[in-house]
PDB file of all heavy atoms in Angstrom:
ATOM      1  N   THR A  75     162.480 130.748 119.907  1.00 85.00           N
ATOM      2  CA  THR A  75     163.085 131.387 118.644  1.00 85.00           C
ATOM      3  C   THR A  75     162.036 131.399 117.529  1.00 85.00           C
ATOM      4  O   THR A  75     161.849 132.369 116.900  1.00 85.00           O
ATOM      5  CB  THR A  75     164.277 130.505 118.263  1.00 85.00           C
ATOM      6  OG1 THR A  75     165.185 130.458 119.328  1.00 85.00           O
ATOM      7  CG2 THR A  75     165.034 131.155 117.068  1.00 85.00           C
ATOM      8  N   ARG A 112     171.191 126.643 113.069  1.00 90.00           N
ATOM      9  CA  ARG A 112     172.497 127.092 113.635  1.00 90.00           C
ATOM     10  C   ARG A 112     172.584 126.573 115.072  1.00 90.00           C
ATOM     11  O   ARG A 112     173.547 126.001 115.504  1.00 90.00           O
ATOM     12  CB  ARG A 112     172.542 128.591 113.544  1.00 90.00           C
ATOM     13  CG  ARG A 112     173.703 129.214 114.416  1.00 90.00           C
ATOM     14  CD  ARG A 112     173.468 130.624 114.538  1.00 90.00           C
ATOM     15  NE  ARG A 112     173.829 131.321 113.233  1.00 90.00           N
ATOM     16  CZ  ARG A 112     173.747 132.652 113.127  1.00 90.00           C
ATOM     17  NH1 ARG A 112     173.352 133.418 114.225  1.00 90.00           N
ATOM     18  NH2 ARG A 112     174.043 133.277 112.045  1.00 90.00           N
ATOM     19  N   PHE A 160     180.662 119.384 146.017  1.00 88.00           N
ATOM     20  CA  PHE A 160     179.242 118.874 145.963  1.00 88.00           C
ATOM     21  C   PHE A 160     179.069 118.109 147.244  1.00 88.00           C
ATOM     22  O   PHE A 160     178.027 118.333 147.866  1.00 88.00           O
ATOM     23  CB  PHE A 160     179.116 117.845 144.838  1.00 88.00           C
ATOM     24  CG  PHE A 160     178.566 118.473 143.591  1.00 88.00           C
ATOM     25  CD1 PHE A 160     179.351 118.628 142.506  1.00 88.00           C
ATOM     26  CD2 PHE A 160     177.211 118.923 143.489  1.00 88.00           C
ATOM     27  CE1 PHE A 160     178.832 119.151 141.313  1.00 88.00           C
ATOM     28  CE2 PHE A 160     176.736 119.506 142.396  1.00 88.00           C
ATOM     29  CZ  PHE A 160     177.575 119.615 141.257  1.00 88.00           C
ATOM     30  N   PHE A 188     158.866 130.111 151.452  1.00 64.00           N
ATOM     31  CA  PHE A 188     160.071 130.567 150.738  1.00 64.00           C
ATOM     32  C   PHE A 188     161.148 131.133 151.717  1.00 64.00           C
ATOM     33  O   PHE A 188     162.233 130.799 151.785  1.00 64.00           O
ATOM     34  CB  PHE A 188     159.687 131.542 149.715  1.00 64.00           C
ATOM     35  CG  PHE A 188     160.830 132.195 148.983  1.00 64.00           C
ATOM     36  CD1 PHE A 188     161.681 131.352 148.196  1.00 64.00           C
ATOM     37  CD2 PHE A 188     161.075 133.492 148.964  1.00 64.00           C
ATOM     38  CE1 PHE A 188     162.753 131.904 147.541  1.00 64.00           C
ATOM     39  CE2 PHE A 188     162.239 134.059 148.299  1.00 64.00           C
ATOM     40  CZ  PHE A 188     162.995 133.184 147.579  1.00 64.00           C
ATOM     41  N   MET A 195     168.833 128.206 154.453  1.00 80.00           N
ATOM     42  CA  MET A 195     169.845 128.063 153.367  1.00 80.00           C
ATOM     43  C   MET A 195     170.982 128.953 153.677  1.00 80.00           C
ATOM     44  O   MET A 195     172.184 128.597 153.493  1.00 80.00           O
ATOM     45  CB  MET A 195     169.266 128.479 152.054  1.00 80.00           C
ATOM     46  CG  MET A 195     170.067 128.063 150.911  1.00 80.00           C
ATOM     47  SD  MET A 195     169.126 128.618 149.451  1.00 80.00           S
ATOM     48  CE  MET A 195     169.306 127.378 148.356  1.00 80.00           C
ATOM     49  N   ASP A 218     202.753 123.936 146.779  1.00 94.00           N
ATOM     50  CA  ASP A 218     204.207 124.342 146.996  1.00 94.00           C
ATOM     51  C   ASP A 218     205.052 123.123 147.442  1.00 94.00           C
ATOM     52  O   ASP A 218     206.123 122.927 146.882  1.00 94.00           O
ATOM     53  CB  ASP A 218     204.226 125.388 148.171  1.00 94.00           C
ATOM     54  CG  ASP A 218     204.238 126.824 147.577  1.00 94.00           C
ATOM     55  OD1 ASP A 218     204.482 126.904 146.391  1.00 94.00           O
ATOM     56  OD2 ASP A 218     204.006 127.742 148.365  1.00 94.00           O
TER      57      ASP A 218
ATOM     58  N   SER B   7     201.244 129.803 143.871  1.00 91.00           N
ATOM     59  CA  SER B   7     200.385 128.705 144.282  1.00 91.00           C
ATOM     60  C   SER B   7     199.176 129.194 145.054  1.00 91.00           C
ATOM     61  O   SER B   7     198.031 128.589 144.991  1.00 91.00           O
ATOM     62  CB  SER B   7     201.139 127.654 145.142  1.00 91.00           C
ATOM     63  OG  SER B   7     202.043 128.286 146.045  1.00 91.00           O
ATOM     64  N   VAL B  26     173.822 123.230 141.783  1.00 80.00           N
ATOM     65  CA  VAL B  26     172.898 122.527 142.762  1.00 80.00           C
ATOM     66  C   VAL B  26     171.990 123.454 143.422  1.00 80.00           C
ATOM     67  O   VAL B  26     170.849 123.044 143.844  1.00 80.00           O
ATOM     68  CB  VAL B  26     173.598 121.699 143.888  1.00 80.00           C
ATOM     69  CG1 VAL B  26     174.313 120.561 143.213  1.00 80.00           C
ATOM     70  CG2 VAL B  26     174.538 122.570 144.642  1.00 80.00           C
ATOM     71  N   VAL B  27     172.370 124.690 143.683  1.00 74.00           N
ATOM     72  CA  VAL B  27     171.493 125.501 144.505  1.00 74.00           C
ATOM     73  C   VAL B  27     170.572 126.312 143.575  1.00 74.00           C
ATOM     74  O   VAL B  27     170.996 127.168 142.878  1.00 74.00           O
ATOM     75  CB  VAL B  27     172.268 126.442 145.370  1.00 74.00           C
ATOM     76  CG1 VAL B  27     171.443 127.066 146.365  1.00 74.00           C
ATOM     77  CG2 VAL B  27     173.395 125.721 146.070  1.00 74.00           C
ATOM     78  N   PHE B 127     173.034 136.264 118.717  1.00 86.00           N
ATOM     79  CA  PHE B 127     173.746 135.499 117.577  1.00 86.00           C
ATOM     80  C   PHE B 127     173.244 134.123 117.521  1.00 86.00           C
ATOM     81  O   PHE B 127     173.109 133.520 116.425  1.00 86.00           O
ATOM     82  CB  PHE B 127     175.249 135.491 117.913  1.00 86.00           C
ATOM     83  CG  PHE B 127     175.980 136.675 117.309  1.00 86.00           C
ATOM     84  CD1 PHE B 127     176.396 137.703 118.165  1.00 86.00           C
ATOM     85  CD2 PHE B 127     176.168 136.713 115.930  1.00 86.00           C
ATOM     86  CE1 PHE B 127     177.058 138.771 117.549  1.00 86.00           C
ATOM     87  CE2 PHE B 127     176.818 137.800 115.340  1.00 86.00           C
ATOM     88  CZ  PHE B 127     177.262 138.829 116.178  1.00 86.00           C
ATOM     89  N   VAL B 129     170.385 132.421 118.995  1.00 83.00           N
ATOM     90  CA  VAL B 129     168.910 131.976 118.804  1.00 83.00           C
ATOM     91  C   VAL B 129     168.108 133.197 118.402  1.00 83.00           C
ATOM     92  O   VAL B 129     166.848 133.086 118.340  1.00 83.00           O
ATOM     93  CB  VAL B 129     168.450 131.483 120.163  1.00 83.00           C
ATOM     94  CG1 VAL B 129     169.110 130.126 120.523  1.00 83.00           C
ATOM     95  CG2 VAL B 129     168.548 132.534 121.296  1.00 83.00           C
TER      96      VAL B 129
END
Side-chain angles (χ1 to χ4, degrees):
Chain A
T75 307
R112 166 193 287 181
F160 267 111
F188 178 61
M195 195 177 219
D218 266 344
Chain B
S7 40
V26 292
V27 189
F127 269 107
V129 294

